[in-house]
Amino acid sequence: MDLHFGDSKPTDEERSAVDALLGPPESSWEGADRSDADLRWARGGREARDRRDLLLPGLHAVNDRIGWISEGALDYLCRRLTVPPAEAYGVATFYAMFSVRPRPATVLHVCTDLACAAAGAPRLCAGIEARLGPGSGVSVERSPCLGLCERAPAALAIKAGDPVRTAVSAPATVEEAVLAANSPGSAPEEPPAALAVPQAGQDGLMLLHRVGVVDPSSLDDYRAHGGYTALRRAFELGPAGVIREVTDSGLVGRGGAAFPTGRKWQATASQPDRPHHLVCNADESEPGTFKDRVLMEGDPYALVEAMTVAGYATGAHKGYLYLRGEYPRALHLLEHAITQARARGLLGDDVLGQGYAFDIEIRRGAGAYICGEETALFNSIEGYRGEPRSKPPFPVEKGLFGKPTVENNVETLVNVLPILTMGAPAYAEIGTGRSTGPKLFCVSGSVERPGVYEVPFGATLGEVLALAGVREGLRAVLLGGAAGGFVRPDELDVPLTFEGTREAGTTLGSGVVMAFDDGVPLPRLLLRIAEFFRDESCGQCVPCRVGTVRQEEALHRIVERTGADAADDIALLREVGRAMRDASICGLGQTAWNAVESAIDRLGAYE
Amino acid sequence: MTVTPLGIPRRMLEFTLDGEEARVPEGSTILDACRAAGKDIPTLCEGDTLRPKNACRLCVVEVEGARTLVPACSRKAEPGMEVRTDTERARHSRKVVLELLASSVDLSTTPEVAGWLKEYEAKPDRFGPDAARLNEEPRVDDELYVRDYDKCILCYKCVDACGDQWQNSFAISVAGRGFDARIAVEHDAPLTDSACVYCGNCIEVCPTGALSFKSEFDMRAAGTWDEARQTETTTVCAYCGVGCNLTLHVQDNEIVKVTSPHDNPVTHGNLCIKGRFGYQHVQNRD
Ligand code: SF4
Ligand code: SF4
Ligand code: SF4
Ligand code: FES
Ligand code: FES
């Protein structure tokens, strides 16, 4: 590979941001000043190329320090990692949180997604823009769901610098959002994660029982509340024993695909190819979903422990925690938890003195919903564009870095702890025959007490809504997020299980329950969903890349229309939707039409 | 003359193709099997010299038991598989894909598309006059080749040919995402400021004419491009000792472009800048 670099040079600031991550360059081949030795020997090459996966962290480093990524900074990063600049440019422009054009150091992301839109986000945006005025040094960007739906409307300010500063304002007012943007350091502290858990402290919780009870920054407190008993049990059982327990528990993935976790672990564990990798998918980006954030912020050690158990069972020595870029507080708490665990021998070369080596590395996403798709996530970690790979081969065979990989989301992993402490049979008793255990639901929208709720599988939609106190005039419930479907107020007795929702012709998806009252204009809502998919399509395959655009256009045309006036466009939507579902490469394109279809068929949206 | 190398013998596997037994060597794709059986499946992003990216989704077929349709160009045939190539479901997807593409980019120089549009009764106009299109101006950075991304279907073939599959120059990549995704060189600069080495291998694989010789681009603009009047002569490049095969496309006694046979076991259709673009000297008649 003969790499070509332009003439643009990094500024000192950019160079130091990159060097802080990668260390100083060792030769002029990597961008240092030329020395005599450089004329006689070459460095870099394969060694540098093997660090390609540091591209995304490198882009973050520059973006965090400067606020955007210049040509000089990108070229310097490419030199350091032996990455072709065209590819790095393709990666940098893939993510919404990066900019390759100059912009102010402060970016204020204002959520305009479903829950926030219903809570007045458009007015908020307009107010913020009016207050800040031109030349304010703040770039206001309309953002998809920030995972703070229980406190809608939400805004997240990120001010580049060393260190980068962030502040969240939610529920946001114009004044608070402007304050957060102007001086993130002095903005009021966010309320604790427990505030998003109305059941916090109640008896009988299994996944949320420590949220609001333990100090999320204290390992001792975690241990005092039952922490690390599951890992000890895992070491007693041995890897095969752990997999047996998980299989017998009936646990299936909570990310939406509902694949049996035990089978996935077994399939990975038995691969002869080494090393094995573990990936925790904490890229929760489904609009309306915030349960993983609450778990990570309220009980971070639980995730660290659960990942260690999963790594042990599947024969992995390295776990990657792929965290949503928009979750700064979760990032800090998890970084702290991992450092503490390492210092206390709960991660590292010899976990708990059992001769098992395991460590966790956090990788930050940068604003791309598609990176929640497991193979897109692998590409993202590896330093490529977050485009899904086609399957087969499946990740258990060829996943991260082409090696056998087990990938689970946060909620799935955290379930492993009670499975080990209470034993598979007791766990399998909970819920229904085919959907076992407890399940988290993110309830938001038109309810009195929005938040994360834990109920055993089998509770009905109405029961979950009752917990949250549904308001008068319920018009529709969006189940499963933007990729899910709407149900009517007279369908609230649908049992929240995988089989129950399937029978009712809908889906549990990621556990979103978003309630809308009759004040919300349905066509606007559907338009927002279409806009979301158009923005988030990776662009790789035609049905999704163009189909999502045509879907949005058709919905625009019929925003104010019903009946015969909308019929042609609805027929068009159906035809395009069918091809997207059938022929798209990945779940994004395959599900992008679900919610709209359900609104037409079940809610009579345009009648 | 081209040479077809014989590979190591492979085991045969059996599966059902449109209700009939098919036997193909292990490792064959469904598309290979279809072609061997004389079935015609439309393809756009598949390239004979590249690993398929399966991005266009035109070649989808139905596989018994699969939730979605599968791309014939990249899915390997498996023993016992039941494949149907021409069902209503597959045809529907192909039709919509053709409509989506034809409504967003200019397919006027994409061979075979006109026929498929007719065959599948695709009506790209039905998305209305306001349907978003790429609407890009051609980029002419020098006298060698032109990038007319208004014709680009994002098949990724040029990226793969420039990158790790052939040239290893990595001068082009996909930038942006979704409908805004575009083929671009680093920092979206002019080609002349990029890592491009002008091997033209991307032009060789581009299925739509989005990448073309400047000579072809100019003649098309002038209305003088006429493939019916062109002859193709395969000869040997005389510039260096590698001895690549060149196919000279000649119209009115002028070389109008140079390609290379894809089934040549040495070059697989790839050339370097001299073989690809250095043809003016042979017709310098002053
Ligand atoms: S379905 Fe959409 S997101 Fe998935 S690969 Fe295709 S373009 Fe990308
Ligand atoms: S320029 Fe041609 S080869 Fe490259 S992606 Fe577009 S259509 Fe494919
Ligand atoms: S095309 Fe290039 S490499 Fe091939 S024979 Fe000609 S000069 Fe040599
Ligand atoms: S934070 Fe705005 S919709 Fe989720
Ligand atoms: S030819 Fe198979 S997907 Fe494009």
Side-chain angles (χ1 to χ4, degrees), chain A residues 432 434-435 457-459 479 493-508 602:
Chain A
T432 64
R434 307 249 311 279
S435 301
F457 268 115
L479 201 57
D493 55 354
V494 41
L496 296 178
T497 57
F498 294 111
E499 60 278 15
T501 45
R502 199 177 313 127
E503 236 163 74
T506 176
T507 170
L508 269 195
R602 298 174 92 109

mmCIF file with all atom_site columns, all heavy atoms in Angstrom, chain A residues 432 434-435 457-459 479 493-508 602:
data_model
loop_
_atom_site.group_PDB
_atom_site.id
_atom_site.type_symbol
_atom_site.label_atom_id
_atom_site.label_alt_id
_atom_site.label_comp_id
_atom_site.label_asym_id
_atom_site.label_entity_id
_atom_site.label_seq_id
_atom_site.pdbx_PDB_ins_code
_atom_site.Cartn_x
_atom_site.Cartn_y
_atom_site.Cartn_z
_atom_site.occupancy
_atom_site.B_iso_or_equiv
_atom_site.pdbx_formal_charge
_atom_site.auth_seq_id
_atom_site.auth_comp_id
_atom_site.auth_asym_id
_atom_site.auth_atom_id
_atom_site.pdbx_PDB_model_num
ATOM 1   N N   . THR A 1 432 ? -43.472 -16.629 31.147 1.00 0.00 ? 432 THR A N   1
ATOM 2   C CA  . THR A 1 432 ? -44.290 -17.673 30.542 1.00 0.00 ? 432 THR A CA  1
ATOM 3   C C   . THR A 1 432 ? -43.380 -18.764 30.014 1.00 0.00 ? 432 THR A C   1
ATOM 4   O O   . THR A 1 432 ? -42.160 -18.644 30.069 1.00 0.00 ? 432 THR A O   1
ATOM 5   C CB  . THR A 1 432 ? -45.096 -17.093 29.366 1.00 0.00 ? 432 THR A CB  1
ATOM 6   O OG1 . THR A 1 432 ? -44.182 -16.656 28.363 1.00 0.00 ? 432 THR A OG1 1
ATOM 7   C CG2 . THR A 1 432 ? -45.961 -15.924 29.804 1.00 0.00 ? 432 THR A CG2 1
ATOM 8   N N   . ARG A 1 434 ? -42.458 -19.758 27.060 1.00 0.00 ? 434 ARG A N   1
ATOM 9   C CA  . ARG A 1 434 ? -41.493 -19.473 25.985 1.00 0.00 ? 434 ARG A CA  1
ATOM 10  C C   . ARG A 1 434 ? -40.751 -18.160 26.189 1.00 0.00 ? 434 ARG A C   1
ATOM 11  O O   . ARG A 1 434 ? -39.747 -17.906 25.553 1.00 0.00 ? 434 ARG A O   1
ATOM 12  C CB  . ARG A 1 434 ? -42.228 -19.439 24.636 1.00 0.00 ? 434 ARG A CB  1
ATOM 13  C CG  . ARG A 1 434 ? -43.070 -20.704 24.374 1.00 0.00 ? 434 ARG A CG  1
ATOM 14  C CD  . ARG A 1 434 ? -42.525 -21.572 23.263 1.00 0.00 ? 434 ARG A CD  1
ATOM 15  N NE  . ARG A 1 434 ? -42.205 -20.831 22.054 1.00 0.00 ? 434 ARG A NE  1
ATOM 16  C CZ  . ARG A 1 434 ? -43.111 -20.462 21.147 1.00 0.00 ? 434 ARG A CZ  1
ATOM 17  N NH1 . ARG A 1 434 ? -44.385 -20.734 21.327 1.00 0.00 ? 434 ARG A NH1 1
ATOM 18  N NH2 . ARG A 1 434 ? -42.727 -19.839 20.055 1.00 0.00 ? 434 ARG A NH2 1
ATOM 19  N N   . SER A 1 435 ? -41.280 -17.315 27.047 1.00 0.00 ? 435 SER A N   1
ATOM 20  C CA  . SER A 1 435 ? -40.587 -16.064 27.366 1.00 0.00 ? 435 SER A CA  1
ATOM 21  C C   . SER A 1 435 ? -40.345 -16.063 28.855 1.00 0.00 ? 435 SER A C   1
ATOM 22  O O   . SER A 1 435 ? -41.243 -15.811 29.649 1.00 0.00 ? 435 SER A O   1
ATOM 23  C CB  . SER A 1 435 ? -41.441 -14.848 26.998 1.00 0.00 ? 435 SER A CB  1
ATOM 24  O OG  . SER A 1 435 ? -41.758 -14.855 25.632 1.00 0.00 ? 435 SER A OG  1
ATOM 25  N N   . PHE A 1 457 ? -42.271 -11.390 32.259 1.00 0.00 ? 457 PHE A N   1
ATOM 26  C CA  . PHE A 1 457 ? -42.891 -11.608 30.958 1.00 0.00 ? 457 PHE A CA  1
ATOM 27  C C   . PHE A 1 457 ? -44.318 -12.101 31.158 1.00 0.00 ? 457 PHE A C   1
ATOM 28  O O   . PHE A 1 457 ? -44.563 -12.934 32.034 1.00 0.00 ? 457 PHE A O   1
ATOM 29  C CB  . PHE A 1 457 ? -42.136 -12.680 30.178 1.00 0.00 ? 457 PHE A CB  1
ATOM 30  C CG  . PHE A 1 457 ? -41.079 -12.116 29.298 1.00 0.00 ? 457 PHE A CG  1
ATOM 31  C CD1 . PHE A 1 457 ? -39.738 -12.396 29.524 1.00 0.00 ? 457 PHE A CD1 1
ATOM 32  C CD2 . PHE A 1 457 ? -41.414 -11.315 28.214 1.00 0.00 ? 457 PHE A CD2 1
ATOM 33  C CE1 . PHE A 1 457 ? -38.763 -11.881 28.696 1.00 0.00 ? 457 PHE A CE1 1
ATOM 34  C CE2 . PHE A 1 457 ? -40.441 -10.806 27.379 1.00 0.00 ? 457 PHE A CE2 1
ATOM 35  C CZ  . PHE A 1 457 ? -39.117 -11.082 27.630 1.00 0.00 ? 457 PHE A CZ  1
ATOM 36  N N   . GLY A 1 458 ? -45.232 -11.595 30.349 1.00 0.00 ? 458 GLY A N   1
ATOM 37  C CA  . GLY A 1 458 ? -46.599 -12.066 30.465 1.00 0.00 ? 458 GLY A CA  1
ATOM 38  C C   . GLY A 1 458 ? -47.531 -10.992 30.985 1.00 0.00 ? 458 GLY A C   1
ATOM 39  O O   . GLY A 1 458 ? -48.747 -11.080 30.804 1.00 0.00 ? 458 GLY A O   1
ATOM 40  N N   . ALA A 1 459 ? -46.973 -9.984  31.666 1.00 0.00 ? 459 ALA A N   1
ATOM 41  C CA  . ALA A 1 459 ? -47.816 -8.850  32.038 1.00 0.00 ? 459 ALA A CA  1
ATOM 42  C C   . ALA A 1 459 ? -48.408 -8.284  30.751 1.00 0.00 ? 459 ALA A C   1
ATOM 43  O O   . ALA A 1 459 ? -47.798 -8.387  29.687 1.00 0.00 ? 459 ALA A O   1
ATOM 44  C CB  . ALA A 1 459 ? -46.974 -7.793  32.747 1.00 0.00 ? 459 ALA A CB  1
ATOM 45  N N   . LEU A 1 479 ? -45.295 0.193   20.192 1.00 0.00 ? 479 LEU A N   1
ATOM 46  C CA  . LEU A 1 479 ? -44.657 -0.914  20.893 1.00 0.00 ? 479 LEU A CA  1
ATOM 47  C C   . LEU A 1 479 ? -43.397 -1.307  20.133 1.00 0.00 ? 479 LEU A C   1
ATOM 48  O O   . LEU A 1 479 ? -43.453 -1.570  18.935 1.00 0.00 ? 479 LEU A O   1
ATOM 49  C CB  . LEU A 1 479 ? -45.655 -2.084  20.927 1.00 0.00 ? 479 LEU A CB  1
ATOM 50  C CG  . LEU A 1 479 ? -45.468 -3.164  21.975 1.00 0.00 ? 479 LEU A CG  1
ATOM 51  C CD1 . LEU A 1 479 ? -45.463 -2.573  23.366 1.00 0.00 ? 479 LEU A CD1 1
ATOM 52  C CD2 . LEU A 1 479 ? -46.582 -4.199  21.851 1.00 0.00 ? 479 LEU A CD2 1
ATOM 53  N N   . ASP A 1 493 ? -54.872 -5.574  26.173 1.00 0.00 ? 493 ASP A N   1
ATOM 54  C CA  . ASP A 1 493 ? -54.718 -6.839  26.890 1.00 0.00 ? 493 ASP A CA  1
ATOM 55  C C   . ASP A 1 493 ? -53.715 -7.773  26.207 1.00 0.00 ? 493 ASP A C   1
ATOM 56  O O   . ASP A 1 493 ? -53.553 -8.914  26.606 1.00 0.00 ? 493 ASP A O   1
ATOM 57  C CB  . ASP A 1 493 ? -56.073 -7.532  27.046 1.00 0.00 ? 493 ASP A CB  1
ATOM 58  C CG  . ASP A 1 493 ? -56.767 -7.718  25.710 1.00 0.00 ? 493 ASP A CG  1
ATOM 59  O OD1 . ASP A 1 493 ? -56.219 -7.199  24.699 1.00 0.00 ? 493 ASP A OD1 1
ATOM 60  O OD2 . ASP A 1 493 ? -57.826 -8.359  25.656 1.00 0.00 ? 493 ASP A OD2 1
ATOM 61  N N   . VAL A 1 494 ? -53.010 -7.270  25.208 1.00 0.00 ? 494 VAL A N   1
ATOM 62  C CA  . VAL A 1 494 ? -51.996 -8.124  24.582 1.00 0.00 ? 494 VAL A CA  1
ATOM 63  C C   . VAL A 1 494 ? -50.899 -8.423  25.611 1.00 0.00 ? 494 VAL A C   1
ATOM 64  O O   . VAL A 1 494 ? -50.377 -7.532  26.278 1.00 0.00 ? 494 VAL A O   1
ATOM 65  C CB  . VAL A 1 494 ? -51.410 -7.488  23.287 1.00 0.00 ? 494 VAL A CB  1
ATOM 66  C CG1 . VAL A 1 494 ? -51.180 -6.022  23.441 1.00 0.00 ? 494 VAL A CG1 1
ATOM 67  C CG2 . VAL A 1 494 ? -50.110 -8.162  22.888 1.00 0.00 ? 494 VAL A CG2 1
ATOM 68  N N   . PRO A 1 495 ? -50.603 -9.730  25.802 1.00 0.00 ? 495 PRO A N   1
ATOM 69  C CA  . PRO A 1 495 ? -49.560 -10.081 26.762 1.00 0.00 ? 495 PRO A CA  1
ATOM 70  C C   . PRO A 1 495 ? -48.180 -9.720  26.217 1.00 0.00 ? 495 PRO A C   1
ATOM 71  O O   . PRO A 1 495 ? -47.887 -9.971  25.039 1.00 0.00 ? 495 PRO A O   1
ATOM 72  C CB  . PRO A 1 495 ? -49.695 -11.602 26.903 1.00 0.00 ? 495 PRO A CB  1
ATOM 73  C CG  . PRO A 1 495 ? -50.496 -12.054 25.730 1.00 0.00 ? 495 PRO A CG  1
ATOM 74  C CD  . PRO A 1 495 ? -51.193 -10.886 25.127 1.00 0.00 ? 495 PRO A CD  1
ATOM 75  N N   . LEU A 1 496 ? -47.369 -9.121  27.059 1.00 0.00 ? 496 LEU A N   1
ATOM 76  C CA  . LEU A 1 496 ? -46.046 -8.707  26.607 1.00 0.00 ? 496 LEU A CA  1
ATOM 77  C C   . LEU A 1 496 ? -45.064 -9.870  26.690 1.00 0.00 ? 496 LEU A C   1
ATOM 78  O O   . LEU A 1 496 ? -44.237 -9.961  27.590 1.00 0.00 ? 496 LEU A O   1
ATOM 79  C CB  . LEU A 1 496 ? -45.576 -7.506  27.427 1.00 0.00 ? 496 LEU A CB  1
ATOM 80  C CG  . LEU A 1 496 ? -46.447 -6.260  27.243 1.00 0.00 ? 496 LEU A CG  1
ATOM 81  C CD1 . LEU A 1 496 ? -45.954 -5.123  28.114 1.00 0.00 ? 496 LEU A CD1 1
ATOM 82  C CD2 . LEU A 1 496 ? -46.497 -5.828  25.784 1.00 0.00 ? 496 LEU A CD2 1
ATOM 83  N N   . THR A 1 497 ? -45.209 -10.775 25.736 1.00 0.00 ? 497 THR A N   1
ATOM 84  C CA  . THR A 1 497 ? -44.260 -11.870 25.577 1.00 0.00 ? 497 THR A CA  1
ATOM 85  C C   . THR A 1 497 ? -43.925 -11.924 24.098 1.00 0.00 ? 497 THR A C   1
ATOM 86  O O   . THR A 1 497 ? -44.627 -11.323 23.281 1.00 0.00 ? 497 THR A O   1
ATOM 87  C CB  . THR A 1 497 ? -44.886 -13.224 25.957 1.00 0.00 ? 497 THR A CB  1
ATOM 88  O OG1 . THR A 1 497 ? -46.059 -13.417 25.141 1.00 0.00 ? 497 THR A OG1 1
ATOM 89  C CG2 . THR A 1 497 ? -45.269 -13.278 27.423 1.00 0.00 ? 497 THR A CG2 1
ATOM 90  N N   . PHE A 1 498 ? -42.861 -12.647 23.759 1.00 0.00 ? 498 PHE A N   1
ATOM 91  C CA  . PHE A 1 498 ? -42.496 -12.723 22.346 1.00 0.00 ? 498 PHE A CA  1
ATOM 92  C C   . PHE A 1 498 ? -43.614 -13.387 21.550 1.00 0.00 ? 498 PHE A C   1
ATOM 93  O O   . PHE A 1 498 ? -44.001 -12.922 20.490 1.00 0.00 ? 498 PHE A O   1
ATOM 94  C CB  . PHE A 1 498 ? -41.174 -13.478 22.177 1.00 0.00 ? 498 PHE A CB  1
ATOM 95  C CG  . PHE A 1 498 ? -40.020 -12.744 22.780 1.00 0.00 ? 498 PHE A CG  1
ATOM 96  C CD1 . PHE A 1 498 ? -39.383 -13.226 23.915 1.00 0.00 ? 498 PHE A CD1 1
ATOM 97  C CD2 . PHE A 1 498 ? -39.588 -11.550 22.241 1.00 0.00 ? 498 PHE A CD2 1
ATOM 98  C CE1 . PHE A 1 498 ? -38.325 -12.522 24.489 1.00 0.00 ? 498 PHE A CE1 1
ATOM 99  C CE2 . PHE A 1 498 ? -38.534 -10.843 22.801 1.00 0.00 ? 498 PHE A CE2 1
ATOM 100 C CZ  . PHE A 1 498 ? -37.898 -11.338 23.934 1.00 0.00 ? 498 PHE A CZ  1
ATOM 101 N N   . GLU A 1 499 ? -44.170 -14.491 22.132 1.00 0.00 ? 499 GLU A N   1
ATOM 102 C CA  . GLU A 1 499 ? -45.198 -15.199 21.377 1.00 0.00 ? 499 GLU A CA  1
ATOM 103 C C   . GLU A 1 499 ? -46.521 -14.427 21.383 1.00 0.00 ? 499 GLU A C   1
ATOM 104 O O   . GLU A 1 499 ? -47.226 -14.377 20.385 1.00 0.00 ? 499 GLU A O   1
ATOM 105 C CB  . GLU A 1 499 ? -45.372 -16.636 21.903 1.00 0.00 ? 499 GLU A CB  1
ATOM 106 C CG  . GLU A 1 499 ? -45.796 -16.787 23.368 1.00 0.00 ? 499 GLU A CG  1
ATOM 107 C CD  . GLU A 1 499 ? -44.639 -16.670 24.373 1.00 0.00 ? 499 GLU A CD  1
ATOM 108 O OE1 . GLU A 1 499 ? -43.554 -16.204 23.991 1.00 0.00 ? 499 GLU A OE1 1
ATOM 109 O OE2 . GLU A 1 499 ? -44.832 -17.031 25.557 1.00 0.00 ? 499 GLU A OE2 1
ATOM 110 N N   . GLY A 1 500 ? -46.819 -13.786 22.512 1.00 0.00 ? 500 GLY A N   1
ATOM 111 C CA  . GLY A 1 500 ? -48.079 -13.054 22.626 1.00 0.00 ? 500 GLY A CA  1
ATOM 112 C C   . GLY A 1 500 ? -48.149 -11.888 21.651 1.00 0.00 ? 500 GLY A C   1
ATOM 113 O O   . GLY A 1 500 ? -49.165 -11.678 20.981 1.00 0.00 ? 500 GLY A O   1
ATOM 114 N N   . THR A 1 501 ? -47.070 -11.120 21.574 1.00 0.00 ? 501 THR A N   1
ATOM 115 C CA  . THR A 1 501 ? -47.084 -9.987  20.650 1.00 0.00 ? 501 THR A CA  1
ATOM 116 C C   . THR A 1 501 ? -47.075 -10.483 19.210 1.00 0.00 ? 501 THR A C   1
ATOM 117 O O   . THR A 1 501 ? -47.708 -9.891  18.344 1.00 0.00 ? 501 THR A O   1
ATOM 118 C CB  . THR A 1 501 ? -45.878 -9.064  20.891 1.00 0.00 ? 501 THR A CB  1
ATOM 119 O OG1 . THR A 1 501 ? -44.713 -9.856  21.051 1.00 0.00 ? 501 THR A OG1 1
ATOM 120 C CG2 . THR A 1 501 ? -46.085 -8.214  22.126 1.00 0.00 ? 501 THR A CG2 1
ATOM 121 N N   . ARG A 1 502 ? -46.364 -11.565 18.968 1.00 0.00 ? 502 ARG A N   1
ATOM 122 C CA  . ARG A 1 502 ? -46.327 -12.084 17.600 1.00 0.00 ? 502 ARG A CA  1
ATOM 123 C C   . ARG A 1 502 ? -47.739 -12.483 17.160 1.00 0.00 ? 502 ARG A C   1
ATOM 124 O O   . ARG A 1 502 ? -48.179 -12.171 16.071 1.00 0.00 ? 502 ARG A O   1
ATOM 125 C CB  . ARG A 1 502 ? -45.367 -13.269 17.489 1.00 0.00 ? 502 ARG A CB  1
ATOM 126 C CG  . ARG A 1 502 ? -44.946 -13.555 16.047 1.00 0.00 ? 502 ARG A CG  1
ATOM 127 C CD  . ARG A 1 502 ? -43.924 -14.691 15.962 1.00 0.00 ? 502 ARG A CD  1
ATOM 128 N NE  . ARG A 1 502 ? -42.847 -14.562 16.927 1.00 0.00 ? 502 ARG A NE  1
ATOM 129 C CZ  . ARG A 1 502 ? -42.489 -15.532 17.777 1.00 0.00 ? 502 ARG A CZ  1
ATOM 130 N NH1 . ARG A 1 502 ? -43.125 -16.693 17.782 1.00 0.00 ? 502 ARG A NH1 1
ATOM 131 N NH2 . ARG A 1 502 ? -41.490 -15.355 18.618 1.00 0.00 ? 502 ARG A NH2 1
ATOM 132 N N   . GLU A 1 503 ? -48.440 -13.164 18.080 1.00 0.00 ? 503 GLU A N   1
ATOM 133 C CA  . GLU A 1 503 ? -49.808 -13.574 17.779 1.00 0.00 ? 503 GLU A CA  1
ATOM 134 C C   . GLU A 1 503 ? -50.711 -12.378 17.496 1.00 0.00 ? 503 GLU A C   1
ATOM 135 O O   . GLU A 1 503 ? -51.588 -12.439 16.642 1.00 0.00 ? 503 GLU A O   1
ATOM 136 C CB  . GLU A 1 503 ? -50.385 -14.335 18.981 1.00 0.00 ? 503 GLU A CB  1
ATOM 137 C CG  . GLU A 1 503 ? -50.879 -15.713 18.651 1.00 0.00 ? 503 GLU A CG  1
ATOM 138 C CD  . GLU A 1 503 ? -51.031 -16.509 19.930 1.00 0.00 ? 503 GLU A CD  1
ATOM 139 O OE1 . GLU A 1 503 ? -51.998 -16.232 20.669 1.00 0.00 ? 503 GLU A OE1 1
ATOM 140 O OE2 . GLU A 1 503 ? -50.160 -17.367 20.205 1.00 0.00 ? 503 GLU A OE2 1
ATOM 141 N N   . ALA A 1 504 ? -50.454 -11.308 18.225 1.00 0.00 ? 504 ALA A N   1
ATOM 142 C CA  . ALA A 1 504 ? -51.262 -10.106 18.035 1.00 0.00 ? 504 ALA A CA  1
ATOM 143 C C   . ALA A 1 504 ? -50.784 -9.300  16.830 1.00 0.00 ? 504 ALA A C   1
ATOM 144 O O   . ALA A 1 504 ? -51.248 -8.183  16.604 1.00 0.00 ? 504 ALA A O   1
ATOM 145 C CB  . ALA A 1 504 ? -51.222 -9.253  19.296 1.00 0.00 ? 504 ALA A CB  1
ATOM 146 N N   . GLY A 1 505 ? -49.846 -9.863  16.086 1.00 0.00 ? 505 GLY A N   1
ATOM 147 C CA  . GLY A 1 505 ? -49.380 -9.194  14.870 1.00 0.00 ? 505 GLY A CA  1
ATOM 148 C C   . GLY A 1 505 ? -48.523 -7.974  15.140 1.00 0.00 ? 505 GLY A C   1
ATOM 149 O O   . GLY A 1 505 ? -48.452 -7.057  14.328 1.00 0.00 ? 505 GLY A O   1
ATOM 150 N N   . THR A 1 506 ? -47.847 -7.962  16.285 1.00 0.00 ? 506 THR A N   1
ATOM 151 C CA  . THR A 1 506 ? -46.938 -6.850  16.536 1.00 0.00 ? 506 THR A CA  1
ATOM 152 C C   . THR A 1 506 ? -45.651 -7.409  17.130 1.00 0.00 ? 506 THR A C   1
ATOM 153 O O   . THR A 1 506 ? -45.374 -8.598  16.967 1.00 0.00 ? 506 THR A O   1
ATOM 154 C CB  . THR A 1 506 ? -47.625 -5.778  17.417 1.00 0.00 ? 506 THR A CB  1
ATOM 155 O OG1 . THR A 1 506 ? -46.691 -4.758  17.717 1.00 0.00 ? 506 THR A OG1 1
ATOM 156 C CG2 . THR A 1 506 ? -48.182 -6.362  18.705 1.00 0.00 ? 506 THR A CG2 1
ATOM 157 N N   . THR A 1 507 ? -44.859 -6.589  17.780 1.00 0.00 ? 507 THR A N   1
ATOM 158 C CA  . THR A 1 507 ? -43.572 -7.068  18.254 1.00 0.00 ? 507 THR A CA  1
ATOM 159 C C   . THR A 1 507 ? -43.177 -6.380  19.544 1.00 0.00 ? 507 THR A C   1
ATOM 160 O O   . THR A 1 507 ? -43.582 -5.248  19.801 1.00 0.00 ? 507 THR A O   1
ATOM 161 C CB  . THR A 1 507 ? -42.485 -6.823  17.184 1.00 0.00 ? 507 THR A CB  1
ATOM 162 O OG1 . THR A 1 507 ? -41.211 -7.081  17.749 1.00 0.00 ? 507 THR A OG1 1
ATOM 163 C CG2 . THR A 1 507 ? -42.501 -5.371  16.724 1.00 0.00 ? 507 THR A CG2 1
ATOM 164 N N   . LEU A 1 508 ? -42.378 -7.064  20.346 1.00 0.00 ? 508 LEU A N   1
ATOM 165 C CA  . LEU A 1 508 ? -41.858 -6.464  21.568 1.00 0.00 ? 508 LEU A CA  1
ATOM 166 C C   . LEU A 1 508 ? -40.681 -5.570  21.274 1.00 0.00 ? 508 LEU A C   1
ATOM 167 O O   . LEU A 1 508 ? -40.402 -4.629  22.014 1.00 0.00 ? 508 LEU A O   1
ATOM 168 C CB  . LEU A 1 508 ? -41.374 -7.558  22.524 1.00 0.00 ? 508 LEU A CB  1
ATOM 169 C CG  . LEU A 1 508 ? -42.316 -8.124  23.539 1.00 0.00 ? 508 LEU A CG  1
ATOM 170 C CD1 . LEU A 1 508 ? -41.511 -8.889  24.571 1.00 0.00 ? 508 LEU A CD1 1
ATOM 171 C CD2 . LEU A 1 508 ? -43.098 -7.023  24.220 1.00 0.00 ? 508 LEU A CD2 1
ATOM 172 N N   . ARG A 1 602 ? -53.910 -0.697  11.617 1.00 0.00 ? 602 ARG A N   1
ATOM 173 C CA  . ARG A 1 602 ? -54.543 -0.879  12.930 1.00 0.00 ? 602 ARG A CA  1
ATOM 174 C C   . ARG A 1 602 ? -55.181 0.390   13.454 1.00 0.00 ? 602 ARG A C   1
ATOM 175 O O   . ARG A 1 602 ? -56.121 0.329   14.231 1.00 0.00 ? 602 ARG A O   1
ATOM 176 C CB  . ARG A 1 602 ? -53.501 -1.363  13.954 1.00 0.00 ? 602 ARG A CB  1
ATOM 177 C CG  . ARG A 1 602 ? -52.906 -2.702  13.608 1.00 0.00 ? 602 ARG A CG  1
ATOM 178 C CD  . ARG A 1 602 ? -51.789 -3.037  14.571 1.00 0.00 ? 602 ARG A CD  1
ATOM 179 N NE  . ARG A 1 602 ? -52.288 -3.802  15.702 1.00 0.00 ? 602 ARG A NE  1
ATOM 180 C CZ  . ARG A 1 602 ? -52.031 -5.090  15.888 1.00 0.00 ? 602 ARG A CZ  1
ATOM 181 N NH1 . ARG A 1 602 ? -51.323 -5.735  15.005 1.00 0.00 ? 602 ARG A NH1 1
ATOM 182 N NH2 . ARG A 1 602 ? -52.485 -5.723  16.944 1.00 0.00 ? 602 ARG A NH2 1
#
